Amino acid sequence: QQQVKQSPQSLIVQKGGISIINCAYENTAFDYFPWYQQFPGKGPALLIAIRPDVSEKKEGRFTISFNKSAKQFSLHIMDSQPGDSATYFCAAREEGSARQLTFGSGTQLTVLP
Amino acid sequence: DAGITQSPRHKVTETGTPVTLRCHQTENHRYMYWYRQDPGHGLRLIHYSYGVKDTDKGEVSDGYSVSRSKTEDFLLTLESATSSQTSVYFCAISMGTGRNQPQHFGDGTRLSIL
């Protein structure tokens, strides 16, 4: 049972373009939604996170958009750079759950120079 | 750097042998987690710990056991490894006690079971 569905599986973007990765969830008890970035041979690293009481959060070139009624959230990478090429995971955590995370299946982003 | 060290980083072993993976943290955090990462599945929780000798099962716990006798060490054991347990294993820790405290991950152990 996949509680967090992520798409697309892979994404190719030109340098300077916008990368968009989408996630959808079913469990309305989720109350924390982080995005992780992972480079080959390394562990996932926290990129940005949002709570459902806000609709958007921006940190530099990275923005999370959150639609509580649709149970969807997305990561937007503005002015994408070759150094952004990595695998991105969305995740969600249920309130009071000892901080366990449920992950999406991942998106492999390639930014062409 | 979240102060997480996983060992070994790579291991090749044979079906039926016992395997123990170690996660060591230097930050004295309460929560520790073991995940496995497989293509198309993201990261899936195997077991987690919320204190010394306090552990619980995750989504994919069958075939795995854990122990935490000290705050800084969380061990994952495969009692009799199977080929389906070939994967990359990640340890994570949760910092602080606030509601939004993130999980930080080690760099993983790549385990191959032949």
Side-chain angles (χ1 to χ4, degrees):
Chain A
Q1 180 185 3
Q2 188 176 8
Q3 294 195 54
V4 179
K5 294 184 178 180
Q6 184 172 345
S7 63
Q9 185 174 4
S10 62
L11 180 63
I12 299 174
V13 174
Q14 292 287 341
K15 178 182 177 180
I18 301 174
S19 304
I20 302 175
I21 304 170
N22 300 299
C23 286
Y25 64 97
E26 298 175 356
N27 185 350
T28 55
F30 286 147
D31 73 337
Y32 173 68
F33 302 88
W35 284 89
Y36 283 81
Q37 179 188 56
Q38 184 181 29
F39 293 105
K42 306 295 279 184
L46 180 66
L47 190 61
I48 187 173
I50 197 169
R51 288 183 53 80
D53 51 351
V54 297
S55 60
E56 184 175 284
K57 183 174 181 179
K58 183 176 181 179
E59 291 184 3
R61 296 184 294 108
F62 300 90
T63 300
I64 300 178
S65 297
F66 190 86
N67 186 329
K68 187 174 181 178
S69 61
K71 293 186 286 186
Q72 296 176 347
F73 59 110
S74 60
L75 176 69
H76 295 237
I77 306 174
M78 311 300 289
D79 187 26
S80 298
Q81 300 296 313
D84 297 330
S85 297
T87 300
Y88 292 82
F89 294 94
C90 62
R93 188 184 69 207
E94 186 174 332
E95 186 175 3
S97 67
R99 305 180 181 84
Q100 301 166 55
L101 290 172
T102 299
F103 282 84
S105 55
T107 297
Q108 186 168 355
L109 172 66
T110 302
V111 181
L112 301 176
Chain B
D1 185 1
I4 305 169
T5 303
Q6 291 188 234
S7 59
R9 293 295 315 278
H10 303 271
K11 186 173 182 66
V12 180
T13 191
E14 295 183 346
T15 300
T17 60
V19 177
T20 296
L21 308 183
R22 180 185 183 229
C23 178
H24 179 77
Q25 60 147 330
T26 59
E27 306 293 330
N28 201 36
H29 293 298
R30 178 182 178 188
Y31 294 88
M32 299 185 75
Y33 306 82
W34 277 108
Y35 291 87
R36 61 177 289 174
Q37 183 176 32
D38 305 289
H41 291 279
L43 288 92
R44 293 179 291 174
L45 183 67
I46 304 171
H47 282 279
Y48 68 98
S49 170
Y50 47 96
V52 173
K53 297 185 180 180
D54 292 324
T55 65
D56 206 349
K57 297 179 179 180
E59 177 187 357
V60 292
S61 60
D62 287 349
Y64 301 95
S65 62
V66 290
S67 65
R68 193 171 178 197
S69 59
K70 298 184 292 184
T71 299
E72 58 266 36
D73 288 326
F74 192 33
L75 304 180
L76 177 70
T77 297
L78 292 65
E79 298 290 348
S80 178
T82 68
S83 58
S84 64
Q85 294 175 310
T86 292
S87 187
V88 182
Y89 291 85
F90 287 98
C91 173
I93 62 174
S94 183
M95 298 179 168
T97 57
R99 293 178 67 192
N100 291 336
Q101 292 302 321
Q103 289 185 20
H104 292 264
F105 287 79
D107 284 336
T109 293
R110 184 173 294 275
L111 178 62
S112 297
I113 301 166
L114 307 178

